[in-house]
Amino acid sequence: MSFREKLSWGVLLTMSAVWSFYFVRLGLKAADGSLTQDLVLWTMGACIAFSIAAQVGFSILAAASTPKAERDVVDEREQGMALKASYTAFVTMSGTLGALSAFGYNYALRHPDMLGPEPLAPALLLAANGFIFALVLSEVVRHAVLITLLRRVG
């Protein structure tokens, strides 16, 4: 397995696990009616910190298990694959943000009082989490596509 593939596996596994936990936890708390701003901030902070620590750990393991000469080599095929994966991630993020925006707009038209008398805070919370979801999904897609392309060539 190449160095870049090892790094992509680390990002894919970390982001999938950590942010799945985040969104499931927030969804369950929202369903219970016990979702608070403090809970969101602490959960998000813990997930960000764990993501950083896990990805640093994966990077160290990948570097330790790959010869230095192989780590430094980047050929044009790998760059082309990374570009294709980045383009796919961009399209995924754009589509996800567009779909979330369309859903939010249509839902708000049918339920104008959905956010209560003070709509700014819940609206910002929904928008921020929608954006985080789009970013996480696009990164997971980017690394999944990159791993698939690297496996096909290598």
Side-chain angles (χ1 to χ4, degrees):
M1 192 180 312
S2 73
F3 178 65
R4 275 141 199 82
E5 186 178 352
K6 290 174 188 176
L7 291 177
S8 286
W9 272 112
V11 172
L12 180 68
L13 294 174
T14 300
M15 292 193 81
S16 297
V18 170
W19 295 103
S20 292
F21 165 79
Y22 174 80
F23 287 113
V24 167
R25 179 170 166 81
L26 264 55
L28 292 174
K29 291 295 184 178
D32 288 351
S34 59
L35 186 64
T36 64
Q37 188 174 2
D38 286 342
L39 176 75
V40 172
L41 291 175
W42 281 104
T43 304
M44 184 184 298
C47 286
I48 289 170
F50 186 79
S51 288
I52 291 169
Q55 288 180 23
V56 166
F58 271 112
S59 297
I60 291 169
L61 286 173
S65 65
T66 307
K68 183 165 175 45
E70 186 180 325
R71 283 189 311 238
D72 294 337
V73 175
V74 179
D75 63 8
E76 291 175 5
R77 289 180 304 162
E78 282 185 350
Q79 290 175 339
M81 288 180 241
L83 183 61
K84 286 179 184 176
S86 294
Y87 174 75
T88 305
F90 173 74
V91 170
T92 300
M93 184 169 60
S94 299
T96 303
L97 288 173
L100 289 172
S101 297
F103 174 77
Y105 179 76
N106 287 324
Y107 192 85
L109 284 177
R110 287 183 273 137
H111 306 284
D113 60 339
M114 81 172 188
L115 298 176
E118 294 291 328
L120 186 58
L124 289 174
L125 181 65
L126 286 172
N129 281 291
F131 187 69
I132 291 168
F133 176 76
L135 285 173
V136 168
L137 181 63
S138 68
E139 278 300 295
V140 166
V141 166
R142 180 169 77 92
H143 288 283
V145 168
L146 184 58
I147 289 167
T148 302
L149 292 172
L150 286 170
R151 290 244 162 179
R152 212 184 291 169
V153 170

PDB file of all heavy atoms in Angstrom, residues 96-115 123 126-127:
ATOM      1  N   THR A  96     -24.482  18.733  -2.192  1.00  0.00           N
ATOM      2  CA  THR A  96     -25.027  18.601  -0.844  1.00  0.00           C
ATOM      3  C   THR A  96     -25.497  19.946  -0.311  1.00  0.00           C
ATOM      4  O   THR A  96     -26.596  20.052   0.252  1.00  0.00           O
ATOM      5  CB  THR A  96     -23.975  17.997   0.109  1.00  0.00           C
ATOM      6  OG1 THR A  96     -23.546  16.746  -0.421  1.00  0.00           O
ATOM      7  CG2 THR A  96     -24.544  17.785   1.498  1.00  0.00           C
ATOM      8  N   LEU A  97     -24.684  20.988  -0.475  1.00  0.00           N
ATOM      9  CA  LEU A  97     -25.099  22.317  -0.024  1.00  0.00           C
ATOM     10  C   LEU A  97     -26.326  22.807  -0.785  1.00  0.00           C
ATOM     11  O   LEU A  97     -27.235  23.403  -0.193  1.00  0.00           O
ATOM     12  CB  LEU A  97     -23.945  23.309  -0.155  1.00  0.00           C
ATOM     13  CG  LEU A  97     -22.808  23.138   0.844  1.00  0.00           C
ATOM     14  CD1 LEU A  97     -21.657  24.076   0.492  1.00  0.00           C
ATOM     15  CD2 LEU A  97     -23.284  23.380   2.258  1.00  0.00           C
ATOM     16  N   GLY A  98     -26.377  22.552  -2.083  1.00  0.00           N
ATOM     17  CA  GLY A  98     -27.547  22.934  -2.866  1.00  0.00           C
ATOM     18  C   GLY A  98     -28.793  22.202  -2.417  1.00  0.00           C
ATOM     19  O   GLY A  98     -29.868  22.805  -2.268  1.00  0.00           O
ATOM     20  N   ALA A  99     -28.667  20.904  -2.173  1.00  0.00           N
ATOM     21  CA  ALA A  99     -29.811  20.111  -1.715  1.00  0.00           C
ATOM     22  C   ALA A  99     -30.276  20.558  -0.328  1.00  0.00           C
ATOM     23  O   ALA A  99     -31.482  20.681  -0.076  1.00  0.00           O
ATOM     24  CB  ALA A  99     -29.451  18.629  -1.707  1.00  0.00           C
ATOM     25  N   LEU A 100     -29.329  20.803   0.572  1.00  0.00           N
ATOM     26  CA  LEU A 100     -29.701  21.275   1.914  1.00  0.00           C
ATOM     27  C   LEU A 100     -30.370  22.645   1.852  1.00  0.00           C
ATOM     28  O   LEU A 100     -31.341  22.902   2.573  1.00  0.00           O
ATOM     29  CB  LEU A 100     -28.469  21.329   2.825  1.00  0.00           C
ATOM     30  CG  LEU A 100     -27.900  19.992   3.261  1.00  0.00           C
ATOM     31  CD1 LEU A 100     -26.579  20.192   4.002  1.00  0.00           C
ATOM     32  CD2 LEU A 100     -28.881  19.246   4.145  1.00  0.00           C
ATOM     33  N   SER A 101     -29.876  23.519   0.997  1.00  0.00           N
ATOM     34  CA  SER A 101     -30.475  24.848   0.850  1.00  0.00           C
ATOM     35  C   SER A 101     -31.885  24.747   0.293  1.00  0.00           C
ATOM     36  O   SER A 101     -32.807  25.409   0.785  1.00  0.00           O
ATOM     37  CB  SER A 101     -29.625  25.720  -0.076  1.00  0.00           C
ATOM     38  OG  SER A 101     -28.366  25.921   0.480  1.00  0.00           O
ATOM     39  N   ALA A 102     -32.069  23.923  -0.728  1.00  0.00           N
ATOM     40  CA  ALA A 102     -33.399  23.752  -1.317  1.00  0.00           C
ATOM     41  C   ALA A 102     -34.364  23.138  -0.308  1.00  0.00           C
ATOM     42  O   ALA A 102     -35.516  23.575  -0.179  1.00  0.00           O
ATOM     43  CB  ALA A 102     -33.308  22.875  -2.569  1.00  0.00           C
ATOM     44  N   PHE A 103     -33.898  22.134   0.437  1.00  0.00           N
ATOM     45  CA  PHE A 103     -34.747  21.518   1.450  1.00  0.00           C
ATOM     46  C   PHE A 103     -35.125  22.537   2.518  1.00  0.00           C
ATOM     47  O   PHE A 103     -36.291  22.649   2.898  1.00  0.00           O
ATOM     48  CB  PHE A 103     -34.031  20.329   2.094  1.00  0.00           C
ATOM     49  CG  PHE A 103     -34.795  19.747   3.253  1.00  0.00           C
ATOM     50  CD1 PHE A 103     -35.891  18.936   3.021  1.00  0.00           C
ATOM     51  CD2 PHE A 103     -34.416  20.033   4.559  1.00  0.00           C
ATOM     52  CE1 PHE A 103     -36.600  18.402   4.093  1.00  0.00           C
ATOM     53  CE2 PHE A 103     -35.124  19.512   5.627  1.00  0.00           C
ATOM     54  CZ  PHE A 103     -36.218  18.691   5.399  1.00  0.00           C
ATOM     55  N   GLY A 104     -34.148  23.285   3.023  1.00  0.00           N
ATOM     56  CA  GLY A 104     -34.422  24.287   4.058  1.00  0.00           C
ATOM     57  C   GLY A 104     -35.385  25.354   3.582  1.00  0.00           C
ATOM     58  O   GLY A 104     -36.301  25.753   4.302  1.00  0.00           O
ATOM     59  N   TYR A 105     -35.209  25.814   2.365  1.00  0.00           N
ATOM     60  CA  TYR A 105     -36.097  26.844   1.813  1.00  0.00           C
ATOM     61  C   TYR A 105     -37.526  26.315   1.677  1.00  0.00           C
ATOM     62  O   TYR A 105     -38.491  26.963   2.109  1.00  0.00           O
ATOM     63  CB  TYR A 105     -35.565  27.298   0.450  1.00  0.00           C
ATOM     64  CG  TYR A 105     -36.432  28.337  -0.210  1.00  0.00           C
ATOM     65  CD1 TYR A 105     -36.409  29.656   0.223  1.00  0.00           C
ATOM     66  CD2 TYR A 105     -37.277  27.991  -1.253  1.00  0.00           C
ATOM     67  CE1 TYR A 105     -37.210  30.617  -0.383  1.00  0.00           C
ATOM     68  CE2 TYR A 105     -38.079  28.935  -1.861  1.00  0.00           C
ATOM     69  CZ  TYR A 105     -38.044  30.250  -1.415  1.00  0.00           C
ATOM     70  OH  TYR A 105     -38.829  31.188  -2.007  1.00  0.00           O
ATOM     71  N   ASN A 106     -37.673  25.120   1.099  1.00  0.00           N
ATOM     72  CA  ASN A 106     -39.010  24.545   0.925  1.00  0.00           C
ATOM     73  C   ASN A 106     -39.666  24.228   2.257  1.00  0.00           C
ATOM     74  O   ASN A 106     -40.867  24.439   2.434  1.00  0.00           O
ATOM     75  CB  ASN A 106     -38.957  23.289   0.049  1.00  0.00           C
ATOM     76  CG  ASN A 106     -38.707  23.626  -1.396  1.00  0.00           C
ATOM     77  OD1 ASN A 106     -39.192  24.631  -1.892  1.00  0.00           O
ATOM     78  ND2 ASN A 106     -37.924  22.801  -2.071  1.00  0.00           N
ATOM     79  N   TYR A 107     -38.891  23.724   3.199  1.00  0.00           N
ATOM     80  CA  TYR A 107     -39.448  23.401   4.517  1.00  0.00           C
ATOM     81  C   TYR A 107     -39.881  24.675   5.227  1.00  0.00           C
ATOM     82  O   TYR A 107     -40.942  24.716   5.851  1.00  0.00           O
ATOM     83  CB  TYR A 107     -38.410  22.638   5.340  1.00  0.00           C
ATOM     84  CG  TYR A 107     -39.002  22.018   6.584  1.00  0.00           C
ATOM     85  CD1 TYR A 107     -39.614  20.775   6.505  1.00  0.00           C
ATOM     86  CD2 TYR A 107     -38.962  22.672   7.807  1.00  0.00           C
ATOM     87  CE1 TYR A 107     -40.165  20.184   7.632  1.00  0.00           C
ATOM     88  CE2 TYR A 107     -39.513  22.096   8.931  1.00  0.00           C
ATOM     89  CZ  TYR A 107     -40.124  20.851   8.843  1.00  0.00           C
ATOM     90  OH  TYR A 107     -40.678  20.282   9.953  1.00  0.00           O
ATOM     91  N   ALA A 108     -39.083  25.722   5.123  1.00  0.00           N
ATOM     92  CA  ALA A 108     -39.427  26.984   5.782  1.00  0.00           C
ATOM     93  C   ALA A 108     -40.678  27.616   5.173  1.00  0.00           C
ATOM     94  O   ALA A 108     -41.457  28.267   5.880  1.00  0.00           O
ATOM     95  CB  ALA A 108     -38.258  27.959   5.701  1.00  0.00           C
ATOM     96  N   LEU A 109     -40.879  27.429   3.881  1.00  0.00           N
ATOM     97  CA  LEU A 109     -42.096  27.945   3.258  1.00  0.00           C
ATOM     98  C   LEU A 109     -43.346  27.246   3.801  1.00  0.00           C
ATOM     99  O   LEU A 109     -44.383  27.877   4.013  1.00  0.00           O
ATOM    100  CB  LEU A 109     -42.043  27.768   1.734  1.00  0.00           C
ATOM    101  CG  LEU A 109     -41.151  28.731   0.972  1.00  0.00           C
ATOM    102  CD1 LEU A 109     -41.150  28.374  -0.514  1.00  0.00           C
ATOM    103  CD2 LEU A 109     -41.596  30.169   1.161  1.00  0.00           C
ATOM    104  N   ARG A 110     -43.245  25.957   4.039  1.00  0.00           N
ATOM    105  CA  ARG A 110     -44.385  25.187   4.542  1.00  0.00           C
ATOM    106  C   ARG A 110     -44.560  25.303   6.051  1.00  0.00           C
ATOM    107  O   ARG A 110     -45.646  25.112   6.560  1.00  0.00           O
ATOM    108  CB  ARG A 110     -44.248  23.725   4.144  1.00  0.00           C
ATOM    109  CG  ARG A 110     -44.521  23.513   2.660  1.00  0.00           C
ATOM    110  CD  ARG A 110     -44.447  22.062   2.268  1.00  0.00           C
ATOM    111  NE  ARG A 110     -43.038  21.784   1.966  1.00  0.00           N
ATOM    112  CZ  ARG A 110     -42.387  20.700   2.347  1.00  0.00           C
ATOM    113  NH1 ARG A 110     -42.981  19.779   3.032  1.00  0.00           N
ATOM    114  NH2 ARG A 110     -41.130  20.540   2.029  1.00  0.00           N
ATOM    115  N   HIS A 111     -43.487  25.600   6.767  1.00  0.00           N
ATOM    116  CA  HIS A 111     -43.525  25.695   8.236  1.00  0.00           C
ATOM    117  C   HIS A 111     -42.825  26.985   8.674  1.00  0.00           C
ATOM    118  O   HIS A 111     -41.724  26.933   9.223  1.00  0.00           O
ATOM    119  CB  HIS A 111     -42.816  24.499   8.870  1.00  0.00           C
ATOM    120  CG  HIS A 111     -43.329  23.181   8.413  1.00  0.00           C
ATOM    121  ND1 HIS A 111     -44.522  22.655   8.851  1.00  0.00           N
ATOM    122  CD2 HIS A 111     -42.823  22.275   7.531  1.00  0.00           C
ATOM    123  CE1 HIS A 111     -44.724  21.482   8.286  1.00  0.00           C
ATOM    124  NE2 HIS A 111     -43.702  21.233   7.471  1.00  0.00           N
ATOM    125  N   PRO A 112     -43.469  28.138   8.487  1.00  0.00           N
ATOM    126  CA  PRO A 112     -42.780  29.407   8.775  1.00  0.00           C
ATOM    127  C   PRO A 112     -42.427  29.600  10.248  1.00  0.00           C
ATOM    128  O   PRO A 112     -41.535  30.360  10.576  1.00  0.00           O
ATOM    129  CB  PRO A 112     -43.763  30.470   8.291  1.00  0.00           C
ATOM    130  CG  PRO A 112     -45.063  29.784   8.165  1.00  0.00           C
ATOM    131  CD  PRO A 112     -44.800  28.330   7.966  1.00  0.00           C
ATOM    132  N   ASP A 113     -43.085  28.881  11.142  1.00  0.00           N
ATOM    133  CA  ASP A 113     -42.806  29.044  12.569  1.00  0.00           C
ATOM    134  C   ASP A 113     -41.948  27.918  13.129  1.00  0.00           C
ATOM    135  O   ASP A 113     -41.883  27.722  14.338  1.00  0.00           O
ATOM    136  CB  ASP A 113     -44.117  29.118  13.351  1.00  0.00           C
ATOM    137  CG  ASP A 113     -44.952  27.860  13.189  1.00  0.00           C
ATOM    138  OD1 ASP A 113     -44.732  27.124  12.204  1.00  0.00           O
ATOM    139  OD2 ASP A 113     -45.822  27.621  14.038  1.00  0.00           O
ATOM    140  N   MET A 114     -41.263  27.187  12.259  1.00  0.00           N
ATOM    141  CA  MET A 114     -40.529  26.002  12.710  1.00  0.00           C
ATOM    142  C   MET A 114     -39.419  26.309  13.712  1.00  0.00           C
ATOM    143  O   MET A 114     -39.054  25.470  14.509  1.00  0.00           O
ATOM    144  CB  MET A 114     -39.956  25.241  11.521  1.00  0.00           C
ATOM    145  CG  MET A 114     -38.684  25.793  10.966  1.00  0.00           C
ATOM    146  SD  MET A 114     -37.998  24.675   9.739  1.00  0.00           S
ATOM    147  CE  MET A 114     -36.453  25.465   9.465  1.00  0.00           C
ATOM    148  N   LEU A 115     -38.868  27.504  13.678  1.00  0.00           N
ATOM    149  CA  LEU A 115     -37.736  27.813  14.547  1.00  0.00           C
ATOM    150  C   LEU A 115     -38.141  28.576  15.802  1.00  0.00           C
ATOM    151  O   LEU A 115     -37.289  28.909  16.612  1.00  0.00           O
ATOM    152  CB  LEU A 115     -36.678  28.602  13.764  1.00  0.00           C
ATOM    153  CG  LEU A 115     -36.061  27.858  12.586  1.00  0.00           C
ATOM    154  CD1 LEU A 115     -35.112  28.758  11.830  1.00  0.00           C
ATOM    155  CD2 LEU A 115     -35.362  26.606  13.033  1.00  0.00           C
ATOM    156  N   ALA A 123     -31.424  28.667  13.496  1.00  0.00           N
ATOM    157  CA  ALA A 123     -31.110  28.714  12.065  1.00  0.00           C
ATOM    158  C   ALA A 123     -29.598  28.656  11.843  1.00  0.00           C
ATOM    159  O   ALA A 123     -29.124  27.956  10.946  1.00  0.00           O
ATOM    160  CB  ALA A 123     -31.696  29.972  11.438  1.00  0.00           C
ATOM    161  N   LEU A 126     -28.447  25.077  12.566  1.00  0.00           N
ATOM    162  CA  LEU A 126     -28.769  24.192  11.447  1.00  0.00           C
ATOM    163  C   LEU A 126     -27.849  24.460  10.261  1.00  0.00           C
ATOM    164  O   LEU A 126     -27.353  23.525   9.621  1.00  0.00           O
ATOM    165  CB  LEU A 126     -30.229  24.376  11.032  1.00  0.00           C
ATOM    166  CG  LEU A 126     -31.272  23.783  11.964  1.00  0.00           C
ATOM    167  CD1 LEU A 126     -32.669  24.208  11.538  1.00  0.00           C
ATOM    168  CD2 LEU A 126     -31.161  22.277  12.002  1.00  0.00           C
ATOM    169  N   ALA A 127     -27.624  25.725   9.954  1.00  0.00           N
ATOM    170  CA  ALA A 127     -26.772  26.076   8.814  1.00  0.00           C
ATOM    171  C   ALA A 127     -25.335  25.609   9.044  1.00  0.00           C
ATOM    172  O   ALA A 127     -24.704  25.039   8.139  1.00  0.00           O
ATOM    173  CB  ALA A 127     -26.809  27.577   8.569  1.00  0.00           C
TER     174      ALA A 127
END
